[in-house]
Amino acid sequence: RAFPTQSYNLVNDAIAYAADPSVKVVVVGAAWTKYFGPESTYCIKDQRSGSCLFLNASSGAHAAFVSLETMLSQLNAMGKRVYLLLNIPFGEAMDPKGMVNRSIHSGYAFFDIHKRELNDADILKYKFIDEGLTEAAEKTNTTVIDPKKYLCSNGKCPSTTEHGDPIYKDAMHLRPTFVRNHINFLDQIMLSVS
């Protein structure tokens, strides 16, 4: 439950809402690298000392994963079907703004499109986050959904479709039209609700 003070009640409110018997499925997701990445300013209170453990340090990350595990256990104990959604691949290579070079030479406009991609090295930088999340999920009978399994193949995550259409609207967010037309990794959740 690593949230800044002003949003701390969000987690408690979400759990209270999930306790409603009409709620059958709960999906837990976040921009996990914002919490655990090197530039994170999020912390979790150490139960013994009361000090703030930053999530971008191993002690804070461990405490946050344990707290997540507790929350997932609580949701499962309520009889909910629980899914944990990992991060999509992200990075500057995915931003469409960096794909187009334009110049005017001799009065003619020239466009050059560079298809870019992320590779395993880009993804492995945040592997420890996926591992911590996955471990918490496995201990609590929570289903993990990893978008990278659907958006990447052969160690590469493309920034465009096979037809050259951008997949992302910026470095971190998928285009809504791409999601509508191509994303099916959330289908198992939708099928479990019906």
Side-chain angles (χ1 to χ4, degrees):
R1 298 188 179 133
F3 284 84
T5 307
Q6 68 271 20
S7 63
Y8 183 80
N9 287 334
L10 176 67
V11 173
N12 293 331
D13 291 346
I15 291 171
Y17 180 81
D20 184 313
S22 67
V23 175
K24 307 288 185 212
V25 176
V26 177
V27 180
V28 177
W32 299 111
T33 53
K34 292 291 184 188
Y35 292 104
F36 296 98
E39 296 175 13
S40 172
T41 58
Y42 289 90
C43 66
I44 188 168
K45 186 177 181 179
D46 184 341
Q47 297 304 315
R48 284 177 269 148
S49 68
S51 63
C52 184
L53 301 174
F54 286 94
L55 271 59
N56 60 2
S58 60
S59 58
H62 175 74
F65 291 137
V66 168
S67 179
L68 174 65
E69 184 181 327
T70 301
M71 183 183 78
L72 296 174
S73 292
Q74 187 178 359
L75 292 167
N76 276 290
M78 291 179 197
K80 310 303 176 184
R81 185 172 293 129
V82 185
Y83 294 89
L84 182 66
L85 185 61
L86 303 184
N87 271 337
I88 62 170
F90 69 93
E92 291 305 313
M94 307 316 258
D95 194 340
K97 289 184 220 165
M99 292 180 205
V100 178
N101 290 330
R102 182 182 149 207
S103 64
I104 298 176
H105 184 30
S106 302
Y108 295 99
F110 174 74
F111 290 93
D112 186 21
I113 297 178
H114 297 278
K115 292 184 180 181
R116 304 186 313 169
E117 61 191 10
L118 296 176
N119 59 37
D120 276 341
D122 300 314
I123 300 300
L124 290 175
K125 288 190 294 190
Y126 299 106
K127 184 179 179 187
F128 76 98
I129 299 172
D130 287 350
E131 289 173 343
L133 295 169
T134 300
E135 183 178 338
E138 287 173 351
K139 289 179 178 178
T140 60
N141 196 32
T142 297
T143 303
V144 173
I145 298 176
D146 186 356
K148 291 178 284 305
K149 291 181 180 177
Y150 302 89
L151 295 168
C152 308
S153 63
N154 300 321
K156 307 267 188 226
C157 305
S159 60
T160 62
T161 66
E162 58 193 32
H163 302 296
D165 298 322
I167 293 172
Y168 287 71
K169 69 177 189 170
D170 57 31
M172 296 191 74
H173 298 93
L174 296 170
R175 287 184 173 279
T177 52
F178 177 79
V179 172
R180 268 193 309 276
N181 297 327
H182 300 282
I183 296 300
N184 59 10
F185 57 82
L186 300 176
D187 291 356
Q188 64 183 302
I189 297 171
M190 302 314 287
L191 293 171
S192 68
V193 173
S194 53

